[in-house]
Amino acid sequence: MALVPCQVLRVAILLSYCSILCNYKAIEMPSHQTYGGSWKFLTFIDLVIQAVFFGICVLTDLSSLLTRGSGNQEQERQLKKLISLRDWMLAVLAFPVGVFVVAVFWIIYAYDREMIYPKLLDNFIPGWLNHGMHTTVLPFILIEMRTSHHAYPSRSSGLAAICTFSVGYILWVCWVHHVTGMWVYPFLEHIGPGARILFFGSTTILMNFLYLLGEVLNSYIWDTQRTAKLK
């Protein structure tokens, strides 16, 4: 028996994301006032994705509680649609985008923080908020994957969806540069056009790899649990 019910964990995680988003939006940074606002940063987009995902998880738990034993077929159909949406969001957005943000941020930060998160930002963003945006995303999504089974979509449709998201964000970053003359991330200013193309291509490939990693991890966790139960 779990020490803390997974439903309670989801509510706690959702509230933490709401707190992080509110605190982040309350910060008066120059970059928030420029074209695209917070929406040009993948970190912010990821926070919104995670908050929406865990909101759907909480809504699914409430719907499951209300429809349990009711015998209402229409309510059960709506619940199945909600579960399908929850599973699709984890597979295509919450897991790959969340892991990508954590991994890429800390790798670049360790190499040269000025390339991704200049020291100047310490004057605006407290340390706990930085970790809320770039660290806790990973354990939160792993907790969700561990506590509930998620049915992945077909591999072709899942990869097509994450590719669409990746290319869409890259085009958005390029458009912001076209309008403002400034790249969203400082390190893009210091590399040539060829290196940027290579970087953007690599990030798309990495996103696809993380989608496949999530699919394998999900199968491994739940296949292992089924085997343990059978034994």
Side-chain angles (χ1 to χ4, degrees), residues 59-210:
L59 185 58
T60 302
D61 290 338
L62 288 173
S63 299
S64 179
L65 185 64
L66 293 173
T67 57
R68 187 177 298 165
S70 67
N72 188 314
Q73 292 186 347
E74 179 58 30
Q75 287 184 342
E76 289 179 358
R77 274 197 297 270
Q78 294 303 320
L79 177 60
K80 286 180 181 178
K81 289 180 181 178
L82 203 55
I83 291 171
S84 296
L85 176 61
R86 179 200 68 183
D87 293 349
W88 184 89
M89 272 209 72
L90 177 125
V92 173
L93 294 174
F95 183 87
V97 178
V99 176
F100 179 89
V101 166
V102 174
V104 173
F105 175 84
W106 287 113
I107 288 171
I108 298 176
Y109 186 98
Y111 177 75
D112 182 359
R113 68 167 294 178
E114 295 297 320
M115 295 176 68
I116 190 76
Y117 191 82
K119 198 169 180 62
L120 176 66
L121 292 179
D122 291 342
N123 298 323
F124 299 95
I125 303 175
W128 70 266
L129 186 56
N130 179 29
H131 284 292
M133 296 187 297
H134 298 115
T135 305
T136 58
V137 173
L138 181 58
F140 284 169
I141 203 67
L142 290 176
I143 287 170
E144 170 59 26
M145 187 173 277
R146 174 64 179 79
T147 54
S148 296
H149 177 262
H150 298 273
Y152 265 60
S154 67
R155 183 168 293 179
S156 58
S157 65
L159 290 174
I162 192 61
C163 277
T164 301
F165 175 85
S166 302
V167 173
Y169 181 69
I170 290 168
L171 292 176
W172 169 232
V173 168
C174 292
W175 177 254
V176 171
H177 175 261
H178 171 74
V179 172
T180 65
M182 298 285 291
W183 287 104
V184 174
Y185 303 103
F187 71 89
L188 292 173
E189 300 279 359
H190 304 293
I191 58 178
R196 287 193 203 104
I197 293 171
L198 183 61
F199 174 77
F200 289 144
S202 299
T203 56
T204 303
I205 293 170
L206 179 57
M207 281 283 200
N208 280 267
F209 170 76
L210 291 173

Side-chain angles (χ1 to χ4, degrees), residues 13-32:
I13 293 172
L14 174 61
L15 291 175
S16 73
Y17 277 123
C18 291
S19 174
I20 291 167
L21 281 167
C22 289
N23 278 277
Y24 179 74
K25 291 299 290 181
I27 297 172
E28 294 185 3
M29 288 197 301
S31 59
H32 290 180

